[in-house]
Amino acid sequence: MPVVCPSIAPQKLRPLALSLLLACGPSVALDTGSITSSVLSPNCLAYRVVGICFWLLCTPFGCKVKTSTKVRHFIPELVVSSYATTGNNPWSEMATLSSPIGGAEGGGNLITPNSHRDNLPRFKNVDGIGHPGGWAATQLASHSGYACASGATAFMPYYLSTLDSLAWRHGIPESLYPESLMPGIREIGRQALGNMWGNVYPRQGFLVQPDDFKAAAVMAQRAGDVITRNGQPHVYLPLTPAPRDGYWPPGPIVENDASTHKWQLLSPQIQPTCAIFPSDPVQSADGGYAWALWRPYSCCKREGQTFLFSIDFEGGVS
């Protein structure tokens, strides 16, 4: 049944309008427009002033030290889709990128309707594509002060599991890695807390997990783990922007660590907040899910020819 969205008077506060807008997300298919508008989330952005940068500015009349504010905020870099049917990416405009090809035709879950047997694996394809709303998030950040540039390219296919069939469908070679064979290593959630969803390794498309949302989330985490690292045994484009003077891009994402990344659910519904996994499950009727992957950037405005150093308010010099 469609969601009826109330009209919002212009004088209402922006946060209320944003919440109502995102709450109406399930009534439409996931497309580029809805993905772009989803970035208007102060919760996901998490803009903070974190320190001071020092620059050396030299002119014909001499040199002096100038300062600029160091800021930190998250940027949506990727739309990571996790879905059962090959070629059925929930992001409608990007579905043709992952059409079935030789060696990656099939899809679906190896599950049974028998409620007493839930130990068969689920399978998910995963696509990691450059988020189209990074510029909009940067504009939102600039309202608070200086904003950092994203290291990701919009619409760039950083990972398509159909092109990585040897690793994604057969687990070669990661099924033999120590992280895959030893319990308690690289787990999403924690056994002690009763919320362990699955292992990051092997980073493939199969997982024994009775909950469809949780299985899809583990696959998204696995793909993000690959994309944000160099030299992995997968077919992909690394998203590893290089640091430079006054610009500190994020490192690889690490499961259970909110300082390295956050996820924003986009499908089956758009949520206005970000979280790491484990999070509250939202089941999809067709086995298709999508998240925005947000990662933290730090930067400061250039105020001279030479970067000297920066001081963080919470301690540390870089």
Side-chain angles (χ1 to χ4, degrees):
M1 191 163 182
V3 178
V4 178
C5 302
S7 60
I8 303 172
Q11 67 269 21
K12 294 294 184 181
L13 295 176
R14 179 179 294 179
L16 175 60
L18 172 64
S19 298
L20 290 171
L21 173 65
L22 295 180
C24 297
S27 64
V28 295
L30 184 65
D31 56 21
T32 300
S34 58
I35 291 172
T36 301
S37 64
S38 71
V39 306
L40 301 177
S41 169
N43 171 271
C44 295
L45 187 72
Y47 189 97
R48 293 172 53 205
V49 175
V50 295
I52 301 173
C53 292
F54 294 82
W55 304 85
L56 183 64
L57 175 65
C58 293
T59 69
F61 305 100
C63 295
K64 61 181 178 180
V65 174
K66 299 198 69 176
T67 62
S68 59
T69 301
K70 183 177 182 180
V71 303
R72 180 179 185 268
H73 62 85
F74 283 74
I75 297 177
E77 294 185 309
L78 295 171
V79 175
V80 181
S81 304
S82 182
Y83 52 97
T85 304
T86 304
N88 198 26
N89 187 334
W91 185 1
S92 55
E93 293 101 335
M94 297 293 109
T96 56
L97 291 178
S98 53
S99 299
I101 60 175
E105 298 95 348
N109 296 321
L110 301 175
I111 59 174
T112 172
N114 186 342
S115 60
H116 299 289
R117 187 181 182 192
D118 58 7
N119 63 340
L120 293 178
R122 294 177 182 267
F123 173 79
K124 298 290 182 182
N125 297 279
V126 172
D127 299 336
I129 299 172
H131 199 294
W135 62 270
T138 300
Q139 289 299 310
L140 179 63
S142 67
H143 293 161
S144 300
Y146 190 68
C148 305
S150 174
T153 302
F155 303 108
M156 176 70 73
Y158 288 93
Y159 183 76
L160 303 174
S161 62
T162 53
L163 303 181
D164 187 37
S165 59
L166 187 64
W168 194 253
R169 292 178 175 245
H170 303 285
I172 299 173
E174 292 183 350
S175 293
L176 301 177
Y177 282 22
E179 298 94 330
S180 304
L181 301 175
M182 299 176 62
I185 299 178
R186 302 297 307 274
E187 292 177 342
I188 300 170
R190 304 191 189 283
Q191 292 275 13
L193 299 178
N195 64 355
M196 204 279 281
W197 285 8
N199 296 75
V200 175
Y201 277 79
R203 293 172 299 183
Q204 64 172 11
F206 291 94
L207 179 70
V208 176
Q209 168 56 261
D211 187 285
D212 195 53
F213 177 92
K214 295 176 182 179
V218 170
M219 304 308 173
Q221 187 80 38
R222 288 174 173 178
D225 196 84
V226 170
I227 297 169
T228 58
R229 288 167 167 81
N230 288 312
Q232 305 302 296
H234 290 263
V235 179
Y236 73 112
L237 292 176
L239 179 51
T240 54
R244 57 181 183 268
D245 289 347
Y247 181 75
W248 297 269
I253 69 171
V254 178
E255 66 280 1
N256 309 318
D257 187 350
S259 69
T260 66
H261 73 293
K262 295 188 289 188
W263 296 100
Q264 179 188 17
L265 183 65
L266 300 177
S267 180
Q269 69 182 44
I270 297 179
Q271 294 184 341
T273 57
C274 286
I276 58 171
F277 304 138
S279 58
D280 294 331
V282 180
Q283 300 300 326
S284 168
D286 62 1
Y289 303 83
W291 289 267
L293 175 61
W294 293 67
R295 290 203 294 166
Y297 284 75
S298 296
C299 62
C300 52
K301 184 178 180 181
R302 177 176 287 274
E303 292 289 355
Q305 298 94 339
T306 304
F307 175 76
L308 299 175
F309 59 91
S310 71
I311 295 178
D312 293 345
F313 296 145
E314 296 179 354
V317 177
S318 57

